[in-house]
Amino acid sequence: MNTKTIIAVLLIALGVVVLAYSGISFSTPGKPVEFLGMHIATTDNHFIPPVAGALALAGGFVLLLVKPRSL
């Protein structure tokens, strides 16, 4: 397997996962806040929309179907 095929398979797999779950949401640690001697931890919420999954799926199929140019 060459690199192009591996990337195409990964894009297809990630696209299917995102579409199957109707988007994926996750949270990451945010910037901590110091207020009046109290330490408050925050989180940042992120969302990957289904459109991104559809684009990844389509991009993976295009990578698989396009033949490399010969020089």
Side-chain angles (χ1 to χ4, degrees):
M1 287 184 126
N2 59 9
T3 306
K4 185 178 100 170
T5 306
I6 293 171
I7 292 172
V9 170
L10 286 174
L11 280 174
I12 291 170
L14 290 173
V16 167
V17 168
V18 170
L19 285 174
Y21 285 106
S22 299
I24 295 177
S25 62
F26 61 95
S27 60
T28 57
K31 186 176 180 183
V33 177
E34 294 284 337
F35 181 70
L36 296 176
M38 294 184 295
H39 180 76
I40 302 170
T42 61
T43 59
D44 293 330
N45 294 322
H46 307 283
F47 180 70
I48 300 173
V51 172
L55 289 174
L57 190 64
F61 280 128
V62 167
L63 277 177
L64 279 179
L65 296 177
V66 171
K67 302 282 184 205
R69 284 194 244 168
S70 58
L71 297 173

